[in-house]
Amino acid sequence: MSDHHRPSPLRTFLEKKGGAASWRDWMEAALYDPDNGYYTANIRTVGRTGDFSTSATLGKELGTAIAAWVKKEWERAGQKLPLIEIGPGDGSLHDQVMRALGMTGRWRLRSHLVERSPVLRGRQQTSLKRCRHCLTWHECLESALERCGGRALIFSNELADAFPANLFQRDAGGWKEVWLSAAENGGIVETLRPRPVQVRSSAFDIECQDGQRVEVLHSWREWLQKWVRHWKAGAMLTIDYGGTPAEIYHRRPGGTVRGYFHHQRLAPTELYPLMGRCDITVDVNFTDLIEWGEAAGLSAEQMVTQRVFVQSKSSGPLQREGGAADAFRCLIQRPPPVC
């Protein structure tokens, strides 16, 4: 069959789903399908030669700040807890952290990387070659925590925004979930269906007009519930762009969904033809992350902007206000104390 007559990845996906699927299921497949997903099969790398950059690929300040946070946590715990980074990208951030810890900090340190993308895992093994002797790779956080005996410092940068999101639209005063369907004329249409009762979010409480769209990272809540019981001690640092629902959706009636392809920002409607070939992301509702963490037994110790977090760990000049560092949040959470 020629490419001209070959069904698009989206239509093939919908046919396997019986003609319709939730937007979340589509995002999951677009990013993580074993054979055609962006992260699992098609991503090249992260940074200037990839489709997007992260704060870790643009400078060393964040890695240095995280290393300072690690040292403070070691002092608090009275021991050198192992490190776990989730979704390490191209390995830049972990390399920066390890360098900033110095020889003393790295001495007898075990560090664990949780990565489900075979492509990125290969990149990490190359970029972190000099310290591979103290690194262990895992496909899930449960495995890493088991190796650490449940005691670890966990950190991630731009992880939550790549979790599959449920997409909702305000309609007739209530919230409906966005689904995708195959139209008879060969096109793709978005439809609205009743909201699943198990999906709850602080975003549903914002004042807005019909037509407003919001994203809910219910997949993060499901993920948290899978591994949190295995975590006995330490702290977790989650870094991502986002904020409260009021901050995220102010003057954004279409929500925050967008994509990146060769560093070009894509509108939501441009994502469907590029299924599996581009990054897809949403802003992170940190109010949800805090509330879901508390429901799972975690306490939220601090949430500040990345600029404040970096500055609190540095003696250098203040970062410029109003830049990208103010769009990112740094959330520190802890497991319940062991009685």
Side-chain angles (χ1 to χ4, degrees), residues 239-313:
I239 305 170
D240 222 316
Y241 40 82
T244 66
E247 293 170 328
I248 293 173
Y249 297 111
H250 179 61
R251 295 183 178 179
R252 297 170 90 174
T256 71
V257 174
R258 68 271 196 193
Y260 291 95
F261 184 68
H262 297 298
H263 286 272
Q264 297 296 312
R265 179 169 173 148
L266 305 175
T269 55
E270 298 176 288
L271 302 179
Y272 299 145
L274 291 172
M275 179 179 178
R277 297 169 54 201
C278 67
D279 183 32
I280 307 168
T281 184
V282 302
D283 277 22
V284 176
N285 181 343
F286 275 87
T287 301
D288 279 351
L289 266 55
I290 291 171
E291 292 180 353
W292 295 340
E294 290 174 345
L298 305 184
S299 60
E301 179 180 273
Q302 183 185 53
M303 187 179 77
V304 297
T305 65
Q306 183 176 304
R307 182 180 63 83
V308 171
F309 175 79
V310 170
Q311 188 58 41
S312 69
K313 304 293 186 292

Side-chain angles (χ1 to χ4, degrees), residues 21-27 165 167 178-180 190 257 272 280:
S22 69
W23 199 91
R24 169 182 164 170
D25 286 345
W26 169 77
M27 183 176 177
L167 182 61
V178 177
W179 278 56
L180 303 179
E190 295 181 343
V257 174
Y272 299 145
I280 307 168

Side-chain angles (χ1 to χ4, degrees), residues 29-43 116-120:
L31 294 181
Y32 300 109
D33 179 83
D35 298 319
N36 300 304
Y38 176 71
Y39 284 118
T40 48
N42 296 322
I43 188 172
R116 63 187 293 187
S117 167
V119 179
L120 290 178

Side-chain angles (χ1 to χ4, degrees), residues 18-312:
S22 69
W23 199 91
R24 169 182 164 170
D25 286 345
W26 169 77
M27 183 176 177
E28 168 80 28
L31 294 181
Y32 300 109
D33 179 83
D35 298 319
N36 300 304
Y38 176 71
Y39 284 118
T40 48
N42 296 322
I43 188 172
R44 296 169 298 158
T45 187
V46 177
R48 292 181 176 84
T49 59
D51 289 306
F52 61 94
S53 297
T54 67
S55 50
T57 63
L58 298 175
K60 301 179 180 179
E61 294 84 0
L62 182 58
T64 301
I66 292 175
W69 171 75
V70 167
K71 291 178 181 179
K72 281 290 186 181
E73 290 295 333
W74 285 347
E75 291 178 7
R76 175 172 176 154
Q79 60 179 300
K80 188 179 289 187
L81 296 174
L83 306 183
I84 300 177
E85 184 181 2
I86 317 171
D90 67 349
S92 297
L93 183 59
H94 211 87
D95 182 61
Q96 294 165 15
V97 172
M98 297 296 277
R99 289 177 184 274
L101 287 174
M103 288 294 296
T104 302
R106 295 193 300 270
W107 177 251
R108 293 186 176 179
L109 172 66
R110 293 306 306 177
S111 198
H112 302 264
L113 304 180
V114 179
E115 182 57 72
R116 63 187 293 187
S117 167
V119 179
L120 290 178
R121 193 180 306 126
R123 295 282 183 180
Q124 295 155 17
Q125 290 171 347
T126 299
S127 63
L128 295 167
K129 183 168 53 179
R130 67 179 188 85
C131 55
R132 281 192 62 179
H133 63 282
C134 65
L135 297 176
T136 304
W137 273 264
H138 306 264
E139 290 193 2
C140 66
L141 184 51
E142 297 95 307
S143 171
L145 284 169
E146 182 180 1
R147 286 290 297 271
C148 297
R151 304 172 63 85
L153 299 179
I154 305 168
F155 65 96
S156 65
N157 180 47
E158 299 187 49
L159 171 73
D161 64 79
F163 269 58
N166 295 76
L167 182 61
F168 295 94
Q169 180 172 313
R170 187 81 170 177
D171 180 67
W175 291 100
K176 301 288 183 63
E177 186 171 24
V178 177
W179 278 56
L180 303 179
S181 301
E184 292 183 0
N185 63 2
I188 304 296
V189 295
E190 295 181 343
T191 59
L192 300 180
R193 297 196 181 188
R195 174 173 66 89
V197 294
Q198 73 272 19
V199 179
R200 300 181 180 87
S201 172
S202 56
F204 295 148
D205 297 327
I206 62 173
E207 294 185 7
C208 61
Q209 303 294 320
D210 280 355
Q212 173 73 51
R213 288 193 168 187
V214 301
E215 305 84 21
V216 180
L217 294 172
H218 188 71
S219 58
W220 178 277
R221 186 176 193 178
E222 295 169 340
W223 170 75
L224 183 68
Q225 292 170 340
K226 287 181 181 179
W227 63 262
V228 70
R229 67 182 182 276
H230 301 291
W231 191 28
K232 307 303 180 185
M236 179 166 69
L237 172 63
T238 302
I239 305 170
D240 222 316
Y241 40 82
T244 66
E247 293 170 328
I248 293 173
Y249 297 111
H250 179 61
R251 295 183 178 179
R252 297 170 90 174
T256 71
V257 174
R258 68 271 196 193
Y260 291 95
F261 184 68
H262 297 298
H263 286 272
Q264 297 296 312
R265 179 169 173 148
L266 305 175
T269 55
E270 298 176 288
L271 302 179
Y272 299 145
L274 291 172
M275 179 179 178
R277 297 169 54 201
C278 67
D279 183 32
I280 307 168
T281 184
V282 302
D283 277 22
V284 176
N285 181 343
F286 275 87
T287 301
D288 279 351
L289 266 55
I290 291 171
E291 292 180 353
W292 295 340
E294 290 174 345
L298 305 184
S299 60
E301 179 180 273
Q302 183 185 53
M303 187 179 77
V304 297
T305 65
Q306 183 176 304
R307 182 180 63 83
V308 171
F309 175 79
V310 170
Q311 188 58 41
S312 69

